[in-house]
Structures are given as C-alpha cells and as structure tokens.
Amino acid sequence: MTTTPHAQEPHGPLGPQDTGQLTPSGGVFARIAGWAQRRRWGALALWTLVLLAVTVASQLVGDGYRNDFALPGTDSQAATDVLREHGSEQAGDSVEIVFQREADRRGVTGPEARSEISGLLERVRKLPSVAQVRSPYQDRAALSEDRTIGYATVTLDAKAEEVPKEDVTELIDTARAVDGEQDLRVELGGEAVRGAEESEGGGAEGAGMLAALVVLVLLFGSLVAAALPLVTAVFAVGGAVGLIALASHVFTVADFTPPIMMLVGLGVGVDYALLIFYRFRHELIEGADLATATRTALDAAGRTVFFAGCTVIIALLGLVALGLGALQGVALAVALTVLMTMAASLVLLPALMSVFGPRVQRHVLRRAERARARGAEEGARWRALGAAVQRRPVPTLLVAVVALLALAAPALDMRLGFADAGNDAESSTSRQAYDLLAEGFGPGFSGPLVVVARGGEDDGTALREKLLATDGVAAATPPMPARGAGDHPISTVIAFPASAPQDEATADLVHALRSETLPALERRTDAEYLVGGPTAATQDFADTVSDRLPLFVAIVVGLSTLLLMLVFRSLLIPLKAAVLNLLSIAAALGAVTLVFQDGWFGVQPGPVEAFIPVMIFAIVFGLSMDYEVFLVSRMHEEWERTRDAGHSVREGLAATGKVITAAAAIMIVVFAAFILSPDRMLQQFGLGLAVAIALDAIVIRCLIVPAVMRLFGRSAWWLPAPLARRLPTVALERPTN
C-alpha cells in the first residue's frame, strides 16, 4: 500500500489491461516476487525448514493452552476471590460422581452399593487436585426420593480450567473403574470432566481441504494449478499452529484456539493465494512471460491481499477492546494466522509459481485457446447480470435487502451463553451424569449457584431461608462456613435452580437474585451477598460481551470505513460497505440463532456460544472488505478511465465475478466442513462464517452492490472538498509510468 499524489490515477486489483510489463524496479510486492523467483529453491527450502522446525519444537515442548474466564468487576469473580482469600474449599470447581442402582437391588443405599461407593470415595480423597469429597450419605438431599440415584461432590482445589487435565483424567478413570460392580452405574459430571473428555476432530479440516481442491480443479481445470493455492495455505496454517503452541507457554491462549485457527487459516489462505494466482493466470493469457506475469500478479492482486489481510487483523485486534482474557488470546492467535497466510501468499506462492510455472502456463494457454475457438468471452455472463440489475435496480435492491432482513430478524432474540453437558454427545460420561441428575433431582442440579454471604449478622441461615423461598430455586444446601474468615464471617450456600443451566429461566433467576432478592436481604442483615459458581460466571461472561459489543463494533467499523475512504476517495462507498457488511453478519447470526437456539434441522436447542457473535463479526467484516476492495477498485479503475458510472459497474462485475465466486465457494466449503465437528461451538462458528460469506459474495456483491452503485451514479465517487484536501490518496497498486 503506497501513498501517492492525488493527481495520479490508481488502478484496481486487475490492473491496466495491457501485457502487464513493469519497470525493472516495480513496486515493493513486485520486488518481493522477483526475489522469490530468483531464489525460488531457497525460498521453498526456508519455508519448509521453518515449518519443520516449528512443528518439531511444538511437539517436543507441547502446548500450554489454558482458559482464562476471569471477569474482574463481576459478582461471580468477586465470589471466587473472596472464597480463595479465606481458603474456602468452595473456591474450586466441583465434580459430581453420580451413582445409579435399580430399586429392586435396594438402590444406592443397599449394603453392597454403600460399601462399594464408600471405598471408591476413600480412594478419590487421595487423588491429586482433590480438596474435599462429600459422600451422598452425608446429606439426604444427595439421594433421590426413590434412592436409586445419588451423587458425591468432589471439590477441586482450583477452578476447572486451572486443574491439570491428567489429574481430572485420573479421577475419571478411578471412578469409572467400579462401573458395573454390584450392578452399580457410575458417571461423572462437571466442567472439569467436560474439558478432560477430548473429542475427535471429526475430519473437518481434511473434508474442507478436499472440497476446496475440488472447487479449484473445476476453476482451473488442472490439478497442479489447483494445488498451488492449497499448498500455500497448508504451509501458512501449519507454521501458525506450531508458533501459537509455543507461544501458549508465555501467553494465555484458550484450548479451543487451534481448530479456530485452522478454520480461518485454511479459508483465508486459499482465498488470498487464489486472488494472486488468478491474476497470474490473467497475465499469462494476455501474453506476458512467466517472470513478468508473476511480478505483475504480486504488484496488483498482492496489494489487495495485503490491504484485506490488514483489515482482518485490525478487526481481530479490535477484540482486545472487549477486555476479555479468553478472547484476547484467540484474537492474537487468529491474527497471527492471517499474517502468516499473507506472508505465504506474497513469498511462498511466487516461488511455487516459478517452479511449476511452465507446466501451468502450457495448460492455461491451451485452455484459453480452446475458449477463443468456441467464441467464449470471459466475464460475459457477469456483464449480462450487471446489465440486468442496472435495468431494475430498485426491485433488485428491495428484494435482496428484505430477504437479508428477514434472515437477520431471529438474531434480535439471540441469547448468549455456553452449552452445558446436556449438549454433549450422548456417549460421554458428562452427558450421562447430566441426564441422571436431571432424572433424580431436577434439571438445575447440574448448574448450581454458589452464593456467598460475607459479614453482617447472617451466618448463612437467613440466606438459605431466603433462597428456598425464591421462585426458581428448587433446593439449597445448609450454610458452609469458610475457615480463617476472622472478624468477617463467610459462609456459602449452594442453590439449585429449578431449570437447566442454559435455560433462559436460570439467567433470569441470576439477575433477579442480584437485583431484587439479595439486596433486600442485605438491608436487613447488613451482610454482603455474591452470586457465583460456573453457571453465574457463564451468565456474567455473556452479559459482558453484550455490554461491550457496541464499542467493539464502533471501533472495527470506524477504522475499516476510514481505510476505504482513503483507498477510494469516496464518502458513500465506505458507508455503503459498512452497512452491507453489518447486514450480512446480522443475517448470518440470524441463521445461527434459528439452527442452534431454536433447534431447526433437528439440532438440540440451546444458547448461542458467547464467543460466536464477536468472532464472526471480526472475521467476516475483515473478509468482506476483501471482496469489496477487489470488486469496487475494478469499478473505480473503469470510472477513472471512462467516467461512465453504469459501464464501470458492468465491467467491474465482469472482471471479478468469477474469481470472487470461486474464492467464496472455497471459503464456504472450508467453513461448512466444520459443521461436521462434534464441538457445538465449532459447528456454530462454521455455519455462521459459511452463511455470511455466501450472502456477501452472492447476494451483496452480485446483486445489491451493482444496484446501489447504479442508483448512486456519479455521486458514488464524490468526496467533500475539505476531506479531499486533507486525506492522502492510498493506491492499491503502483501507478503506471
């Protein structure tokens, strides 16, 4: 990206329609391409060595992924801090060991079962990371009315994300070892257990790569040509995954980051490499030699890739503004992945094109010759589509916008949260424990609320009475005092909601306790009450994301709009791009809400994962700018050349429609492949990204943008004089000499 005097005319990403000859020096990206050509074997060897070194190092050292769900300033975090400060065993998360035995065998209270369970719990007490074990026989509330189901509570010495996974695995193995003994069924539940149960990847990455290869073969008609963008993406993603695994020992990186990195990296990597390779193919057809075609491709499309990549990175780094530790590590990791894909597209791809160039050139020229013999004109269908839209711009615009608004409408009722064990695979022990607890004690027993009473005249007795009298609370334990509280007594009461952890009624209960029930009790007892526990923390996280989302959107939209204003020297085009991008993202979130929250297509209903809206917004907004720049800058080139607004729209669509559609198809199949993942969050992420890209590339770029540009006419390229004087001109390409 370069800054040039305003008098010079920038060219779009497809550049001047000549042979593409450059001066020896060229732009910075042309010089990078020249270096990669001259040192092609060295460049390939360097990338290969870096990939091998990073992969081997990450395998030897291992990763240090860990989740950070701390939310300073929230009730749930304050409750955890108070309990930790005073050494309370309730500061750590808990694991439930659930037992079931048929009534005809006297249930779990029969002598044989009692002996088996007591022996098991004695062994569990000696395991690492176990702070306390409470037997089902210590509290009648831990036994179902028919005595066929009971549970023991194992309190860990830290939060679930801080307990070593091997310690949780040992706990699971120890408890499950007695499953089947004395006809006793044993299952384990809790967030620590869910985290330790590693699910298979489902082959989503492999399925996405295979589908992308098929699309590329159909586009280029050659396996070698199709493989080059894919190989570039694989090298970039492989290096990024290894680097983040090493960096996770220094920075806090969530354990769900790697699949998201691969999801985004494969889609973006293939997309960027395709844009450059497609320009390379265009230059070969125009008669350029291999070296010139490569340099021209980098000097033209390479600049668009650089701009688009920077926009994605800016959008991702906007997540830092949310101040959520769990998201900051993910944002930095995905931003590094995008940076690696940019570097691979600008350095590795030219080297690959130099090595395989002669073979690709022969195939491209043969295919172009056959097309000319048939009288086929490249871009004719897209030009015809542009003309049809221009003849009826208002009806086209209305139909498309109404359809997107209808799809976006469900997002207004989107409920953020996290899936609980009820969404886990039926074969998992966490899901089995969840179902048993719901059967024996009600749906809320898998998501208790940890309510802390500090100071005042309440030792927890008044708190328990108040909780039991509150609508939505099914049961509450006796007060548990904390040791070492001194002059400020602290006690804990565990309240069990009458609804499941992810139900809206549970979220309403948390809010009601904090805003109405407990403040009234505080005035009477002069004590302080804090509602904590995993379920309350989940709600706090969702509320925090919702509260800070407007700031995040304003930052990302503002910066991206400013960049587009600099590039196109227009006021309406950046505003149009921002509005349309928001519309496509809203429609994608509406689709996610319909499928995962409302349960369409047989999906189990539940909340939308709290990470999903901000992550989809950051990634899609950046990627949408890719297509926006690619299409509109070609229109801008024609506008500068002809000053004919209608012609510039038709030619821009004709020149870019095929590659935009192909690039979008690749990202759609890569993202959609992650719907096959067993992880609910990845399923939502994959569906949201696939729908957003499909809508952006097909409905917005092919229908709405031509219609809007037709209605804007010459005013599309208008910039107020005061702004025009103050803003520099940022050209996506090196001006022609």
Side-chain angles (χ1 to χ4, degrees):
M1 200 181 295
T2 55
T3 303
T4 60
H6 180 44
Q8 293 173 316
E9 296 183 359
H11 292 276
L14 293 184
Q17 300 302 309
D18 56 17
T19 61
Q21 300 294 327
L22 300 171
T23 58
S25 61
V28 62
F29 296 105
R31 292 196 293 273
I32 292 174
W35 176 88
Q37 285 177 312
R38 294 190 302 273
R39 304 285 190 272
R40 52 186 178 274
W41 293 111
L44 292 175
L46 179 62
W47 269 97
T48 303
L49 287 175
V50 169
L51 178 60
L52 288 175
V54 169
T55 302
V56 170
S58 63
Q59 291 293 324
L60 291 176
V61 176
D63 63 70
Y65 296 123
R66 58 193 183 278
N67 297 326
D68 176 15
F69 295 110
L71 290 171
T74 62
D75 252 27
S76 58
Q77 186 63 44
T80 298
D81 294 342
V82 167
L83 293 174
R84 272 186 179 156
E85 179 184 351
H86 296 285
S88 173
E89 291 166 337
Q90 282 72 47
D93 282 341
S94 62
V95 168
E96 290 78 35
I97 306 179
V98 188
F99 307 98
Q100 184 190 39
R101 196 174 187 231
E102 296 300 328
D104 58 6
R105 298 297 304 276
R106 299 180 60 184
V108 296
T109 57
E112 301 91 349
R114 193 179 188 112
S115 174
E116 195 72 49
I117 291 173
S118 298
L120 166 63
L121 298 182
E122 284 300 320
R123 294 191 293 275
V124 169
R125 283 189 178 92
K126 301 174 184 177
L127 295 178
S129 298
V130 173
Q132 182 190 55
V133 177
R134 189 173 181 84
S135 168
Y137 310 115
Q138 291 178 250
D139 188 352
R140 291 176 60 87
L143 296 171
S144 63
E145 289 185 7
D146 60 6
R147 300 297 190 263
T148 60
I149 299 174
Y151 66 91
T153 302
V154 179
T155 305
L156 305 174
D157 60 8
K159 305 299 287 183
E161 61 268 18
E162 299 170 359
V163 177
K165 186 174 291 187
E166 56 269 20
D167 290 355
V168 182
T169 302
E170 185 178 359
L171 171 59
I172 296 172
D173 293 342
T174 301
R176 294 282 295 163
V178 302
D179 183 49
E181 298 291 335
Q182 302 296 333
D183 294 325
L184 191 66
R185 180 181 174 190
V186 182
E187 305 291 352
L188 292 91
E191 288 304 310
V193 174
R194 296 185 68 206
E197 285 189 298
E198 297 180 352
S199 58
E200 298 296 327
E205 297 89 345
M209 290 173 60
L210 179 61
L213 182 61
V214 171
V215 174
L216 287 168
V217 170
L218 292 176
L219 177 65
F220 295 123
S222 165
L223 185 60
V224 173
L228 295 187
L230 198 57
V231 169
T232 304
V234 170
F235 267 74
V237 173
V241 169
L243 286 174
I244 291 300
L246 295 174
S248 65
H249 291 280
V250 180
F251 304 101
T252 300
V253 182
D255 56 11
F256 54 82
T257 302
I260 293 180
M261 290 172 57
M262 288 186 279
L263 168 70
V264 176
L266 287 175
V268 173
V270 174
D271 190 57
Y272 290 171
L274 173 61
L275 296 183
I276 294 174
F277 190 80
Y278 193 83
R279 176 59 194 263
F280 171 70
R281 168 186 171 277
H282 169 80
E283 291 300 321
L284 292 177
I285 293 174
E286 290 294 314
D289 58 74
L290 284 172
T292 303
T294 302
R295 292 197 302 273
T296 304
L298 266 292
D299 204 48
R303 295 172 187 263
T304 302
V305 165
F306 179 78
F307 174 85
C310 289
T311 307
V312 175
I313 291 172
I314 288 172
L316 286 166
L317 294 182
L319 290 171
V320 177
L322 290 174
L324 301 174
L327 281 180
Q328 289 173 342
V330 178
L332 292 173
V334 178
L336 175 62
T337 304
V338 174
L339 184 62
M340 290 287 288
T341 63
M342 285 171 49
S345 298
L346 298 174
V347 178
L348 176 62
L349 183 59
L352 290 172
M353 289 192 298
S354 181
V355 172
F356 296 99
R359 185 172 177 178
V360 173
Q361 183 182 35
R362 289 193 298 271
H363 173 78
V364 167
L365 294 180
R366 282 200 305 268
R367 199 175 186 193
E369 185 61 34
R370 288 196 296 268
R372 280 193 291 267
R374 295 194 306 269
E377 181 184 0
E378 188 164 357
R381 293 179 180 177
W382 293 103
R383 189 177 292 107
L385 174 63
V389 170
Q390 285 183 319
R391 286 194 296 271
R392 298 286 189 274
V394 175
T396 301
L397 182 62
L398 288 177
V399 170
V401 170
V402 168
L404 290 178
L405 288 175
L407 186 55
L412 296 174
D413 297 322
M414 183 172 57
R415 185 165 53 86
L416 300 183
F418 289 99
D420 58 27
N423 297 112
D424 291 349
E426 293 185 1
S427 59
S428 64
T429 188
S430 57
R431 171 63 182 274
Q432 295 294 322
Y434 178 93
D435 291 341
L436 285 177
L437 288 172
E439 177 186 342
F441 307 95
F445 268 71
S446 293
L449 303 176
V450 179
V451 187
V452 178
R454 177 169 63 174
E457 301 174 359
D458 187 9
D459 61 356
T461 303
L463 171 61
R464 182 172 187 262
E465 292 174 354
K466 189 67 173 178
L467 290 172
L468 289 173
T470 301
D471 290 339
V473 175
T477 65
M480 293 171 280
R483 296 191 300 269
D487 296 331
H488 302 284
I490 293 174
S491 59
T492 303
V493 176
I494 299 178
F496 298 94
S499 52
Q502 61 179 283
D503 286 353
E504 188 172 3
T506 303
D508 293 340
L509 174 61
V510 172
H511 292 147
L513 287 174
R514 290 171 171 172
S515 61
E516 301 171 12
T517 306
L518 297 180
L521 185 61
E522 285 179 347
R523 290 190 292 271
R524 180 160 61 88
T525 63
D526 200 29
E528 179 185 12
Y529 299 103
L530 301 169
V531 181
T535 301
T538 294
Q539 189 58 46
D540 285 339
F541 192 95
D543 291 343
T544 302
V545 171
S546 299
D547 293 342
R548 300 179 186 178
L549 186 59
L551 173 62
F552 165 65
V553 171
I555 291 174
V556 174
V557 172
L559 290 176
S560 301
T561 301
L562 179 59
L563 284 175
L564 283 182
M565 190 181 299
L566 291 174
V567 169
F568 296 119
R569 302 193 65 77
S570 164
L571 184 63
L572 293 179
I573 286 178
L575 294 176
K576 177 261 306 174
V579 171
L580 293 182
N581 286 348
L582 291 173
L583 188 57
S584 67
I585 293 168
L589 293 177
V592 171
T593 303
L594 287 174
V595 174
F596 290 95
Q597 182 173 306
D598 297 342
W600 282 30
F601 306 113
V603 176
Q604 185 171 351
V608 175
E609 300 287 321
F611 297 110
I612 295 300
V614 290
M615 290 298 296
I616 287 181
F617 182 91
I619 293 170
V620 171
F621 200 91
L623 294 180
S624 296
M625 289 302 176
D626 183 358
Y627 299 143
E628 178 76 14
V629 170
F630 201 68
L631 171 61
V632 177
S633 54
R634 183 62 181 89
M635 294 179 180
H636 192 201
E637 177 188 339
E638 287 298 320
W639 164 254
E640 292 287 349
R641 188 174 64 85
T642 66
R643 296 290 166 174
D644 185 333
H647 172 79
S648 67
V649 172
R650 292 191 299 273
E651 290 305 310
L653 193 59
T656 63
K658 184 176 181 179
V659 67
I660 285 179
T661 304
I666 289 169
M667 283 210 284
I668 289 168
V669 297
V670 170
F671 294 155
F674 278 76
I675 300 174
L676 304 174
S677 169
D679 186 277
R680 184 179 174 91
M681 184 183 69
L682 287 181
Q683 291 173 355
Q684 294 181 11
F685 203 52
L687 176 66
L689 290 177
V691 171
I693 295 299
L695 294 175
D696 189 84
I698 299 172
V699 179
I700 290 180
R701 303 301 158 206
C702 297
L703 297 177
I704 295 181
V705 169
V708 171
M709 294 293 286
R710 173 69 179 85
L711 294 174
F712 282 170
R714 299 175 64 90
S715 62
W717 311 108
W718 169 75
L719 185 67
L723 277 178
R725 287 193 298 269
R726 288 174 173 80
L727 293 179
T729 298
V730 179
L732 289 181
E733 301 193 18
R734 182 184 60 81
T736 10
N737 293 312

